Amino acid sequence: MRAPVIYRRLILLGLLAGVIPLFSMAADGDPLPAEVMAELRRYGLSPRHLSVYVQVVDQDKPLVAYQADVPRNPASSIKVLTTLAALEILGPGYTWKTEVWSRSPIRDGRLDGDLYLKGYGDPFLVIEHFWRFLRELRNDGLVDIRGHLVLDQSYFAQEPGDPAEFDGKPHRAYNVLPRALMVNFQAVRFHLQPQPELNRVRIVADPHLAGLEVVNRIQLRPGRCRDGARRVALQVVPGQVMDKMVFSGRMDGACGEAEFFRVVAEPVRHTHGVFTALWRELGGRFDGDVREGRVPEDARLLHRMSSPTLGDIVRSINKHSNNLMTRMLLLTLGTEGDTPGTTARGIARVRQWLTQSGMNFPELVLDNGAGLSREERISARHLGEVMLAGYRSPFMPEFMSSLPVSGEDGTMQRRHAGTALEGRTHLKTGTINSVRAMVGYLQDKRGRRVVVVSLHNDPRVNSLAGERVQDAILRWAYERP
């Protein structure tokens, strides 16, 4: 029995609706999975702004290579290239050092002269490590410093830059520019602790720099945790030595604690403030000022400390997408003997490693290696080749374990929790305005390891839509026949 004409026409239109997009996509490589197309349509997004590359690690050809050769902005997902190149070039056991020198002898615990701190680009000189460094110096007998603090930053070239250039927010920790001696990422953590019994909010600055002023005008509201209950505003009042931080607004006590990370002083003053505060806490005496300069040739080494290994460092970089640490890693790659490290030489060394590894990426544009850039470009196919190279690398365990695990840790801690994908992916994501990217490894339901890359550059894509499209790609790669 023949179907009525109206139904035959509807069937034909349905077929055409499915076939025409399929052919238009095929012109750009493999078709996108239907699940991904459905999410794009749901949020009104065009597939022409999306590149996808999926390949099983032990196969020669990709499962999907949709617009995979289009150069796109990878945002923070480019960190996988910088960190893998560093592991291959430097080795996972590489460490950085930090030194303290003086020209004058220490007599009865007193130094009648300047104290020199020299940095060699340690990307993880956090407050705990710096405190231990100074404590060991105190244990060596130094108590009273009668001179000034001199910071030797000569291991890296002082390159021009403006922390407000990217998004006009110079006090945000992700915008800090790299130097050879960076203490605690040049950032202060402000921990807001509601104290209902005292009807106030306690603010703890860590580290509390000597000279830092914190003004607390936050109002604490009793009762339940309401929507918008943490409407806390932070105003930065510029100062000559360091900025004053003014907190205002309100918090509901039942909503728990909150925290802010902010830059309150330029690098030299920040290090001086941390050093002064910690030295006094350790029972030492120091009232001197700070300046930059080189360690004199006639100075003698008082103490040296080594950083964690590069294998540990890349975990902090990729798990938490730390821009400053990545930029310092690229500068480290750009050091040659006594020549100070530069970003340009670091980029050249990454390109040299790519060539030596048989990877030719003519479209690649590296700016700072961290992804906080509007200029960086790479194709999805070549980012996938980086991940395949990482899987074949002798340092694959260090590299893969540095990536956030879905539903477990880092920037992926809350994603895919309670789903079939929990614990199944090691993914580095990237997000800036108009960019949503991801790159990493997925273990599918049959136990096969799959490289997955998605570069989404679209002025209309937001965080929700970007994640939904990415999740559709991951679900398809996990469940495919």
Side-chain angles (χ1 to χ4, degrees), residues 105-388:
I106 299 174
R107 293 189 175 93
D108 297 325
R110 191 174 78 181
L111 174 64
D112 290 313
D114 296 334
L115 191 73
Y116 295 82
L117 285 181
K118 182 168 184 177
Y120 290 86
D122 182 352
F124 201 63
L125 190 57
V126 292
I127 190 68
E128 297 90 339
H129 294 180
F130 194 57
W131 174 87
R132 188 177 73 247
F133 177 57
L134 298 184
R135 182 175 181 272
E136 291 169 354
L137 184 61
R138 277 282 289 111
N139 289 341
D140 288 340
L142 180 58
V143 179
D144 190 2
I145 304 169
R146 295 298 179 93
H148 300 298
L149 186 65
V150 183
L151 308 182
D152 189 337
Q153 302 270 17
S154 61
Y155 194 66
F156 290 165
Q158 188 169 344
E159 299 179 326
D162 180 0
E165 181 180 359
F166 181 73
D167 58 5
K169 298 177 180 179
H171 293 91
R172 296 300 178 95
Y174 59 77
N175 277 323
V176 170
L177 300 178
R179 304 292 300 278
L181 181 65
M182 301 292 294
V183 177
N184 212 57
F185 314 125
Q186 199 190 324
V188 174
R189 171 178 175 260
F190 293 96
H191 190 191
L192 278 57
Q193 302 172 329
Q195 296 180 316
E197 67 281 4
L198 299 176
N199 194 31
R200 70 177 187 183
V201 176
R202 180 172 179 251
I203 301 177
V204 179
D206 183 28
H208 195 113
L209 281 59
L212 172 63
E213 182 180 359
V214 179
V215 179
N216 185 357
R217 298 173 182 166
I218 301 175
Q219 296 179 352
L220 183 65
R221 298 193 308 180
R224 62 185 177 85
C225 182
R226 293 167 280 252
D227 291 338
R230 287 179 179 170
R231 293 180 178 175
V232 176
L234 173 56
Q235 179 186 6
V236 180
V237 180
Q240 291 185 345
V241 176
M242 60 185 63
D243 298 328
K244 179 170 66 174
M245 314 303 285
V246 181
F247 289 84
S248 60
R250 66 175 186 267
M251 286 184 68
D252 283 359
C255 290
E257 301 176 353
E259 63 183 17
F260 292 80
F261 290 86
R262 290 294 185 271
V263 175
V264 303
E266 51 84 26
V268 174
R269 286 294 173 186
H270 176 91
T271 301
H272 179 250
V274 177
F275 178 90
T276 302
L278 292 184
W279 193 251
R280 292 172 180 171
E281 286 180 12
L282 289 166
R285 292 187 292 274
F286 173 68
D287 295 307
D289 207 341
V290 65
R291 63 180 174 85
E292 288 189 305
R294 288 178 176 265
V295 173
E297 293 184 0
D298 60 346
R300 65 187 186 93
L301 180 66
L302 296 181
H303 190 65
R304 174 182 291 140
M305 181 182 71
S306 294
S307 72
T309 65
L310 176 58
D312 292 326
I313 292 294
V314 296
R315 286 176 58 83
S316 295
I317 289 176
N318 286 331
K319 291 285 188 187
H320 304 288
S321 200
N322 192 297
N323 293 313
L324 177 61
M325 292 178 70
T326 314
R327 298 181 71 165
M328 295 178 75
L329 183 58
L330 189 64
L331 283 165
T332 300
L333 292 175
T335 57
E336 297 178 1
D338 293 331
T339 305
T342 67
T343 299
R345 278 199 294 271
I347 291 172
R349 202 166 183 194
V350 171
R351 290 184 177 277
Q352 182 184 37
W353 170 76
L354 286 170
T355 301
Q356 292 171 346
S357 302
M359 290 182 278
N360 180 29
F361 297 177
E363 88 290 356
L364 176 65
V365 177
L366 284 177
D367 184 2
N368 53 45
L372 195 69
S373 166
R374 304 290 180 191
E375 309 301 325
E376 286 183 319
R377 293 290 185 277
I378 193 171
S379 70
R381 185 187 306 276
H382 287 158
L383 205 51
E385 289 184 15
V386 170
M387 302 310 290
L388 290 169

Side-chain angles (χ1 to χ4, degrees), residues 319 403-429 441-442 467 471 474:
K319 291 285 188 187
L403 303 175
V405 180
S406 57
E408 296 290 340
D409 62 16
T411 56
M412 293 292 294
Q413 184 173 10
R414 292 185 175 89
R415 284 186 67 176
H416 307 147
T419 73
L421 294 176
E422 181 177 354
R424 289 278 187 162
T425 71
H426 289 73
L427 289 176
K428 180 73 198 76
T429 56
Y441 304 104
L442 174 145
E467 287 190 7
D471 290 349
L474 293 170

